[in-house]
Amino acid sequence: MKQVFYLLLPLLTIQSFAQSRKFPYYDGHKWGLVNDSNQVVIQPKYDSEFWIFREKIAIVQQGGLYGSIGVDGTTITPCRYDSISIIKGFTTAARFKGKFRLVDVSTGKELSEVGFNKWGEREHDNPSILPVNIGTKWYFMNMVTGQLINKQGYDNVGFVTTGYYEGVVQQGGKYGVLNLTTGALIAPIRYDHLVYKSQGAFDAIEGDKVLSYTADGRSTPGNAEVLTQHQSASSAVIPYDAVKLDDSYVGYMSLYVYKGKDKDWKVTYEKRMYADSPVTPAKEFQLTGYTNVERFYYDETMHPQALLKVVQNGKTGLIAPEGDVILPCIYDSIRNEGGFFVTQIDGKEGLIKTDWRVLSLPVLKHVYHANYEAEGYFIEMPDGKKGYMDMHNGKIYIPRVGR
């Protein structure tokens, strides 16, 4: 279950770096935290990368277990859980001895006395309610109190999407509606379909009979025409028509490379519907002197809009189709990471932005990925230390690493 925590890192990052410039770093053994002046905020002692969440806490791993700390490194929740997954705000599902409990990681307080096996992806607001599975049954849990709203479990549960405090419950193939405030049934569990209307009202269908319910549980005979509808939250299937291509479809302009004799190459801009469609090139260029030419990218929003990766005398560079040299053939390899380029010489990597600013010569051990919310690139130094490089000025946020 450890992967549950790692999936949350992008979420934590988005909320963390809007106001703070603190970066995790790895000293070769453990993870700590520095500020944008490269001063150590939290000494390296944790097993995995972590971020300050909402300028208050961080979820950390130590000894293979998870807990939470304050922004100054003080322990809030001891590292005792097998995994911690953010559900909403500081409320998390923390796994301990095979069961999950709701834990407020900003205080360390366990909110729920009852352990559960898993939880539903959606939660309900005002009040905050979470579907949880205990044993073979599903329940609604109040996320503030940690108490179960329904004492009896059901085969499945869900929410009515009208904004009213109503939950759909299913038992033995039949449906009912539960009041999420009181836990009482608004409609008994005996209906084949539920069709939702407005203001918490719904039609409940049983065989060829229809009852119309209001949000307070009052019912009157309903309109039998709903029997022909398929807008039931309990059983609806939304049909999608297959996309059909007509003769007017001509595809998009793109870049193609053709090998000629020896070191001769032809590069074309073409519009084609399929890869093997016959076309007349919109533009054509002849290149010579390269042992290999391949498309590096084609993007009409960039300048230049097309680039070729070429090899000359065993070294790699980048050129425009027109032949203009963008990067000389001095590199062992160049790779496109989508928002930046990584160069390599003698096993070391460098970093170039798409506006061709060089943030680092090939002196790094590895460039991993970009974190655009943090405005940094995750990198590894030759000595095995890891941390972040500023996207704007190339500053490295690892203590005692100079540029």
Side-chain angles (χ1 to χ4, degrees):
M1 293 298 296
K2 292 181 181 179
Q3 68 275 17
V4 174
F5 171 70
Y6 288 103
L7 290 173
L8 294 168
L9 289 178
L11 180 148
L12 301 181
T13 303
I14 290 171
Q15 301 187 53
S16 171
F17 281 88
Q19 301 174 341
S20 174
R21 294 281 284 177
K22 297 184 180 70
F23 299 86
Y25 75 98
Y26 178 72
D27 69 354
H29 304 282
K30 297 290 182 180
W31 287 88
L33 199 72
V34 295
N35 59 23
D36 54 8
S37 298
N38 252 341
Q39 297 171 324
V40 176
V41 178
I42 298 174
Q43 291 290 341
K45 60 180 178 179
Y46 297 104
D47 299 341
S48 61
E49 184 178 7
F50 63 93
W51 303 89
I52 299 299
F53 178 35
R54 291 189 175 180
E55 292 301 296
K56 188 171 182 179
I57 65 103
I59 297 175
V60 294
Q61 183 189 30
Q62 198 170 42
L65 299 175
Y66 292 96
S68 64
I69 61 173
V71 68
D72 58 354
T74 56
T75 298
I76 298 175
T77 307
C79 290
R80 62 192 294 262
Y81 297 101
D82 298 321
S83 67
I84 293 180
S85 301
I86 297 288
I87 296 178
K88 182 179 180 181
F90 292 116
T91 303
T92 69
R95 187 170 182 266
F96 181 69
K97 294 184 178 180
K99 295 289 185 180
F100 291 97
R101 296 181 185 275
L102 292 183
V103 176
D104 185 334
V105 288
S106 69
T107 64
K109 180 181 179 181
E110 288 195 353
L111 303 176
S112 59
E113 297 180 358
V114 179
F116 49 93
N117 304 321
K118 55 185 176 179
W119 65 97
E121 294 182 359
R122 288 186 54 200
E123 77 274 359
H124 190 283
D125 290 327
N126 299 319
S128 295
I129 296 170
L130 184 71
V132 297
N133 175 267
I134 302 174
T136 61
K137 298 297 182 180
W138 283 89
Y139 300 79
F140 292 106
M141 178 178 285
N142 187 308
M143 292 175 61
V144 177
T145 65
Q147 299 296 312
L148 297 179
I149 294 172
N150 52 300
K151 304 306 178 183
Q152 174 188 345
Y154 301 102
D155 293 343
N156 208 347
V157 298
F159 295 111
V160 176
T161 58
T162 58
Y164 285 76
Y165 306 146
E166 297 173 346
V168 181
V169 295
Q170 180 187 10
Q171 187 71 26
K174 299 295 183 179
Y175 296 90
V177 176
L178 191 77
N179 185 310
L180 295 177
T181 303
T182 65
L185 284 170
I186 298 173
I189 307 170
R190 70 185 190 202
Y191 297 104
D192 303 314
H193 302 284
L194 301 172
V195 179
Y196 298 101
K197 298 187 289 189
S198 61
Q199 298 181 334
F202 58 92
D203 286 325
I205 304 170
E206 181 183 14
D208 57 358
K209 297 179 181 178
V210 180
L211 283 181
S212 292
Y213 280 86
T214 56
D216 59 5
R218 290 179 296 172
S219 64
T220 56
N223 183 359
E225 290 183 3
V226 300
L227 293 174
T228 63
Q229 298 179 14
H230 298 283
Q231 299 174 349
S232 166
S234 59
S235 61
V237 176
I238 302 175
Y240 291 94
D241 293 330
V243 176
K244 297 180 180 179
L245 299 176
D246 57 32
D247 293 337
S248 65
Y249 180 79
V250 293
Y252 296 95
M253 185 74 74
S254 194
L255 186 71
Y256 297 87
V257 178
Y258 301 92
K259 179 73 170 70
K261 294 182 179 180
D262 299 325
K263 297 181 180 180
D264 294 335
W265 302 83
K266 181 174 72 173
V267 179
T268 62
Y269 289 109
E270 301 175 8
K271 275 189 177 182
R272 56 172 66 182
M273 185 171 179
Y274 303 106
D276 56 353
S277 299
V279 294
T280 301
K283 288 184 180 180
E284 182 177 308
F285 306 94
Q286 301 295 330
L287 300 174
T288 188
Y290 299 107
T291 55
N292 190 63
V293 177
E294 62 184 79
R295 171 174 147 162
F296 190 67
Y297 74 66
Y298 176 82
D299 188 338
E300 293 182 351
T301 66
M302 298 185 68
H303 182 75
Q305 68 178 15
L307 275 184
L308 299 165
K309 184 162 67 173
V310 296
V311 177
Q312 190 174 56
N313 300 323
K315 294 294 182 178
T316 301
L318 297 179
I319 67 171
E322 295 80 1
D324 298 333
V325 175
I326 307 300
L327 290 180
C329 291
I330 61 174
Y331 302 100
D332 296 333
S333 70
I334 303 172
R335 70 177 186 268
N336 183 0
E337 292 292 347
F340 62 98
F341 310 121
V342 177
T343 58
Q344 188 180 81
I345 296 179
D346 296 332
K348 299 292 193 301
E349 295 188 345
L351 197 153
I352 299 177
K353 297 195 67 174
T354 54
D355 59 5
W356 306 111
R357 283 188 296 151
V358 178
L359 286 192
S360 175
L361 296 172
V363 296
L364 306 171
K365 183 175 181 179
H366 191 59
V367 180
Y368 288 95
H369 56 77
N371 185 320
Y372 292 100
E373 287 78 22
E375 298 183 1
Y377 300 105
F378 184 43
I379 61 169
E380 183 175 358
M381 303 302 293
D383 61 1
K385 293 179 180 177
K386 299 177 183 179
Y388 281 81
M389 173 188 289
D390 192 288
M391 282 186 174
H392 306 291
N393 56 31
K395 179 179 179 179
I396 295 177
Y397 298 107
I398 302 175
R400 294 176 292 280
V401 172
R403 293 302 307 273

